[in-house]
Amino acid sequence: MKEKISDKYSALLHATLTMVNNRGFHDAPMSKIAKLAGVSPATIYLYFENKQDLINKLYVEVKASFCSHAFQGYSTELPVKKGFEIIWYNIADYKLNKLEESMFLSQCDNTPMIDGESIQEGLKHLQPLLDLWERGKKEGIIKPISPYLLYAYTVYPLSFLLAMHVKSLCEVGGKYRLEAFQAAWDSIKV
Amino acid sequence: MKEKISDKYSALLHATLTMVNNRGFHDAPMSKIAKLAGVSPATIYLYFENKQDLINKLYVEVKASFCSHAFQGYSTELPVKKGFEIIWYNIADYKLNKLEESMFLSQCDNTPMIDGESIQEGLKHLQPLLDLWERGKKEGIIKPISPYLLYAYTVYPLSFLLAMHVKSLCEVGGKYRLEAFQAAWDSIKV
DNA sequence: ATTTATAAAATGAACGTTCATTCATCAACT
DNA sequence: AGTTGATGAATGAACGTTCATTTTATAAAT
């Protein structure tokens, strides 16, 4: 019965996600995380080395889930624009449907709360997108610019839209999604 | 001698900026902030109500400085594209030259560490840019889409490039700046 | 089947530390 | 003498973590 690791492990990860989202890392005490997970504080230390380890593990897990969603239905056989479209919409869907996870990732990527090592770990899984862009450049479809620029103008803006969506300042539904994709594509197509 | 408020006030703000940038809000104790500012812990409470107030005041001040830089040399008389170009380059310069301030703003905008009230306060000063976009739409130069989208695809990407720059993963010098501007403009021009 | 022995998982209370904040006192200037 | 700005030391609360112990699961022996 090794199935899917103890459910307390997952409960703790999820409790941490919620606490850190709502109160920030600085105000998410182990005692409250434990209570939210329905577990004793001491139990946390059966599954995690310490608070930092808990956060790191959560980050890596969420990032992995994000990347796995991103490439659903994608194949390297697809034409560049079609492939990009699929990945982009996957990411947009993820940000829209997994608000908590997405907010957590934003917070992690803009604070010194995650170890550099874990950041590297989480970044690995994005390679297919980089490869796709490389192909697009070779075919003269995508501007010959740094992948960081490509990411900054296509994927990263979604984080902002997510934040506005959470604050109920901005819709991200049907029409807007199309407009957003169009803007992303216009910024990088040659 | 009211000149520019006690220099301990500024020293404390600056020390807080550094501490929060390097260690995060959760690990920026008042005692260390005080030491870095060359001041007793008790002195902080002569200038600020408490830690939250200290952070809020710092946020509002930095945000104001950011916005003031953004509109240097800009006038509502300018043609839309030229006006946008000036503002965009101002912002890019700010992000490049005021790394600490910019990183701090990123952190604030992605964590629950700032009071909603102070966020509102800091957002006020961006109005001229919104007005410019409105004019651009009327003239048929800029896509008729939500200002949130416009912001997401022109200004917000700079935050990502800044983060990469700080991690020495990405240059933001001359040529790249032009490419970045081009991508920003392409994404919103009609 | 039931009991007994052993290991594993989980816990509440306690520990030492660190934190934000306060307080009694001080030095400098009026 | 009195006011002001500043302080180092003190304080209580809260934190992350550990520990002695209990509870639950596992297996062996009857």
Side-chain angles (χ1 to χ4, degrees), chain B residues 33-76:
Chain B
I33 291 174
K35 182 172 287 181
L36 186 57
V39 141
S40 159
T43 305
I44 300 182
Y45 293 87
L46 297 178
Y47 296 94
F48 305 94
E49 279 178 41
N50 49 40
K51 192 176 180 181
Q52 186 64 54
D53 182 50
L54 169 59
I55 296 273
N56 286 340
K57 291 234 170 77
L58 174 58
Y59 175 77
V60 171
E61 164 144 337
V62 173
K63 194 82 173 190
S65 120
F66 168 79
C67 291
S68 119
H69 272 79
F71 296 110
Q72 268 172 14
Y74 169 73
S75 141
T76 53

Side-chain angles (χ1 to χ4, degrees), chain A residues 39 87 168:
Chain A
V39 140
I87 296 170
S168 306

Side-chain angles (χ1 to χ4, degrees), chain A residues 29-169:
Chain A
M30 296 296 255
S31 56
K32 293 214 173 85
I33 291 174
K35 182 172 287 181
L36 185 58
V39 140
S40 159
T43 305
I44 300 183
Y45 293 87
L46 297 179
Y47 297 94
F48 305 94
E49 278 179 41
N50 49 40
K51 192 177 180 180
Q52 185 64 55
D53 182 49
L54 170 58
I55 295 274
N56 286 339
K57 291 237 171 77
L58 174 59
Y59 176 77
V60 171
E61 163 145 338
V62 173
K63 195 81 172 191
S65 119
F66 168 80
C67 291
S68 118
H69 272 78
F71 296 109
Q72 269 171 13
Y74 168 73
S75 140
T76 52
E77 319 289 323
L78 264 25
V80 169
K81 181 170 181 184
K82 186 63 188 171
F84 175 73
E85 198 173 317
I86 287 176
I87 296 170
W88 189 92
Y89 274 101
N90 278 341
I91 293 178
D93 280 341
Y94 185 90
K95 300 241 176 200
L96 187 65
N97 297 322
K98 309 256 185 176
L99 293 180
E100 294 214 300
E101 284 83 352
S102 303
M103 284 170 58
F104 178 75
L105 289 180
S106 286
Q107 194 169 164
C108 289
D109 290 333
N110 291 282
T111 20
M113 86 194 202
I114 302 290
D115 287 348
E117 201 181 328
S118 300
I119 294 184
Q120 292 298 112
E121 172 76 23
L123 223 52
K124 283 180 191 163
H125 311 281
L126 230 59
Q127 194 58 43
L129 180 55
L130 304 189
D131 294 342
L132 175 67
W133 281 336
E134 203 48 50
R135 183 153 61 90
K137 289 185 206 172
K138 283 211 184 81
E139 297 181 12
I141 298 175
I142 289 179
K143 292 179 185 169
I145 58 184
S146 149
Y148 294 108
L149 275 173
L150 297 175
Y151 192 88
Y153 281 93
T154 56
V155 176
Y156 197 66
L158 289 169
S159 297
F160 181 79
L161 297 175
L162 158 77
M164 294 304 107
H165 175 71
V166 167
K167 290 175 187 152
S168 306
L169 291 173

